[in-house]
Amino acid sequence: MAVKWGRAFVLSVLVVSGCAGSGGFCRSATNAQTPACRMTDAQQAAIPVKAEWWHSTLAITLRPLDTPEQQDGLRRAVGGHGGMALDGFAVPDPDSGRCDIYVSLPAQPPAFELEAVGHELLHCFVGGFHPDMMTGKAVSSYLSPRQATAQRAWLSGTIDEADKQSRWTLSCTFGVGHCPPPARPALTTLGLTLHPVDPEQLERIGRALGQNERPEGVAVPDPKAGRCDLYLPIPTTYLGHGMEVLGRKMLSCFAPGSTGDAEQRRRLVEGAMGAPASGPEIIDETGRGFAKP
């Protein structure tokens, strides 16, 4: 969850837009001492990623939030604080091998929205990777399948109801003017596999694909098989360019266009990788980190 008051701050699994310098959340004496309000944008964006778990392959469902009303419905559904407008929320269900992402997704997302998409996606693969910015305490993203099912139903129902209420205007209800376009349904579920790679591997991958420059990351969508493989470095901070690349590549999986021979492309990439890069740092139950074998 990322919180944005001015630019961007992170909570646990949701992305929030807010108001740091002109009233709103951080101007309240009650909220002024929260980590989200005490830390600068740069300090919060630089919080290191420390993974709670590592699941490299998941069934990802993307639920786009198209309107402010849907974003406000999400905020209310998760108990968002006054002065916030949420941009996204991830519902990991690691035991079921799935994750649902509710995220603000304009037609041409700017950098922050792409960072937000990547941030939420990373929660799916690695769980709670940063402290709660309201309390500063470590958090877990773990949900049992029953909890995840209930949370998905609650979120979807509240967002849909907020979307319906946005149409209860004189012009729309009585057919005398413009009505908002209907909300987009959830995008097709894809099996996403995240392959951690290092810069040297990326350089080899670029050469294997006939590219003149080293790519930032590579997505290999295979819509016929309902899967997509992502080859890129694991982001090291909870916001920033690494998250933007992860978000952009994930969105290309859901809108692949002409992909050519996905199996051949995947073979070229995996042949160029050589030995796989290690996964992200994992945090055990004591809070101490240890490297993933």
Side-chain angles (χ1 to χ4, degrees), residues 91-172:
V91 184
D93 187 352
D95 292 344
S96 301
R98 66 175 291 182
C99 188
D100 292 59
I101 300 173
Y102 300 77
V103 69
S104 177
L105 201 60
Q108 294 183 318
F112 176 75
E113 269 78 5
L114 291 172
E115 290 177 49
V117 173
H119 180 99
E120 301 307 330
L121 178 62
L122 194 61
H123 276 300
C124 297
F125 289 113
V126 305
F129 59 81
H130 59 80
D132 185 321
M133 290 309 297
M134 296 298 295
T135 66
K137 297 179 180 179
V139 293
S140 171
S141 291
Y142 176 77
L143 297 171
S144 69
R146 175 179 291 184
Q147 290 171 323
T149 298
Q151 190 169 78
R152 287 191 298 266
W154 171 246
L155 290 173
S156 297
T158 307
I159 292 168
D160 290 344
E161 183 61 28
D163 185 63
K164 291 177 183 177
Q165 290 181 4
S166 71
R167 303 168 196 282
W168 295 348
T169 63
L170 285 175
S171 60
C172 182

Side-chain angles (χ1 to χ4, degrees), residues 205-231:
I205 289 170
R207 290 197 299 266
L209 296 177
Q211 300 180 10
N212 294 327
E213 298 181 358
R214 184 178 71 199
E216 296 179 311
V218 173
V220 182
D222 191 349
K224 292 182 179 179
R227 65 176 289 188
C228 186
D229 290 80
L230 298 174
Y231 302 86

